[in-house]
Amino acid sequence: MCTERDPWLPHRLLRTERDLLMPLLRRTPEEAYGLRTACPGWTVRQVLAHCGAALVRIVEDRLEEGVFLPEANARDVAEREDWSVGRVLDELERGLTEAGPVIAERENGRLDAVALGEWVHAGDVREALGEPGAYCGAALDLALPLLSVTSRRRETPRLIGDLADRDGTVFLGNEIEGRPAARFRGDAATLIRIYSGRPLVRTRYELTGATEHELLIYR
């Protein structure tokens, strides 16, 4: 897997996720938006409000210091508590459509992880709604290369992953002198869960040479 940054990869991931997720959300009954997700304290509606707010901040260049810290995220969600579900979805669709080119223009790549996080949150929503494809699905081939780049940027240790449901091997994180690479054996969705700090209940995997905490890219 290539680990060099592709500036347009986040754009492709966001657009693909838009086309997959928005039809599902538009037909979801409104009462389902009150279901709890893997994000502590947040419902489906609140996760989507956070996602839309984060992406539109990128689009509108409202990226003041601390913008994506938990306190700022909570304020963005609180500001949307009185919005209709339709308005929340409209903002999310705008962000998924327009944020990619802005992220591509940032040569330092620091916003790439936001795009990956949006895709992970889509998995949170799918899981809460009981839909298949949480943390995998059709966009996984875009998410895995972005995870590779993000894991290096977030300075996680080197890991070699043998995925039971994908061809080839993934290489994540950075080599550390004197430390052998960690090894992972399991499915791709479980690997995503580990790196994004999602619940691992009912998963089956082998991880040697690193702890789950060391691999977290969102802390």
Side-chain angles (χ1 to χ4, degrees):
M1 176 183 298
C2 177
T3 56
E4 293 302 319
R5 181 182 184 243
D6 174 355
W8 288 97
L9 180 58
H11 172 67
R12 295 195 299 274
L13 178 62
L14 292 174
R15 288 289 187 94
T16 300
E17 194 54 55
R18 177 200 65 187
D19 294 344
L20 294 169
L21 184 64
M22 295 311 303
L24 167 65
L25 297 178
R26 297 287 187 188
R27 65 175 181 265
T28 295
E30 188 161 340
E31 58 268 23
Y33 285 87
L35 293 171
R36 294 289 170 176
T37 69
C39 302
W42 276 5
T43 63
V44 169
R45 185 187 185 284
Q46 289 169 321
V47 168
L48 296 173
H50 159 63
C51 289
L55 289 173
V56 170
R57 280 187 173 277
I58 291 172
V59 171
E60 297 179 350
D61 196 25
R62 293 185 289 109
L63 300 174
E64 62 270 15
E65 185 176 353
V67 65
F68 295 133
L69 293 179
E71 297 81 4
N73 292 337
R75 285 195 299 270
D76 282 342
V77 171
E79 289 173 1
R80 288 155 176 79
E81 282 298 321
D82 295 331
W83 288 20
S84 67
V85 168
R87 186 178 176 187
V88 170
L89 296 185
D90 288 345
E91 182 180 55
L92 174 61
E93 187 162 7
R94 179 194 172 195
L96 291 170
T97 301
E98 299 180 16
V102 180
I103 294 173
E105 291 175 357
R106 296 295 182 102
E107 294 182 0
N108 60 18
R110 294 185 65 182
L111 295 177
D112 291 6
V114 177
L116 181 62
E118 296 285 318
W119 180 79
V120 171
H121 278 316
D124 299 333
V125 169
R126 285 189 176 88
E127 186 167 63
L129 296 177
E131 294 287 333
Y135 315 113
C136 54
L140 182 62
D141 287 337
L142 298 170
L144 283 175
L146 194 52
L147 174 62
S148 181
V149 173
T150 303
S151 68
R152 289 189 295 113
R153 181 175 291 277
R154 297 298 171 91
E155 298 184 348
T156 64
R158 172 66 88 183
L159 179 139
I160 301 171
D162 298 314
L163 303 183
D165 53 346
R166 315 294 294 181
D167 292 332
T169 302
V170 295
F171 298 89
L172 307 177
N174 303 294
E175 294 183 1
I176 299 175
E177 185 176 357
R179 177 175 177 172
R183 299 299 298 252
F184 170 86
R185 300 180 190 276
D187 60 47
T190 300
L191 184 70
I192 296 293
R193 288 177 181 273
I194 290 172
Y195 274 86
S196 60
R198 267 42 184 185
L200 293 164
V201 177
R202 299 180 65 185
T203 61
R204 188 189 302 274
Y205 65 95
E206 297 178 15
L207 176 64
T208 59
T211 66
E212 288 83 356
H213 182 74
E214 288 180 291
L215 301 178
L216 288 175
I217 57 173
Y218 302 115
R219 301 187 184 186

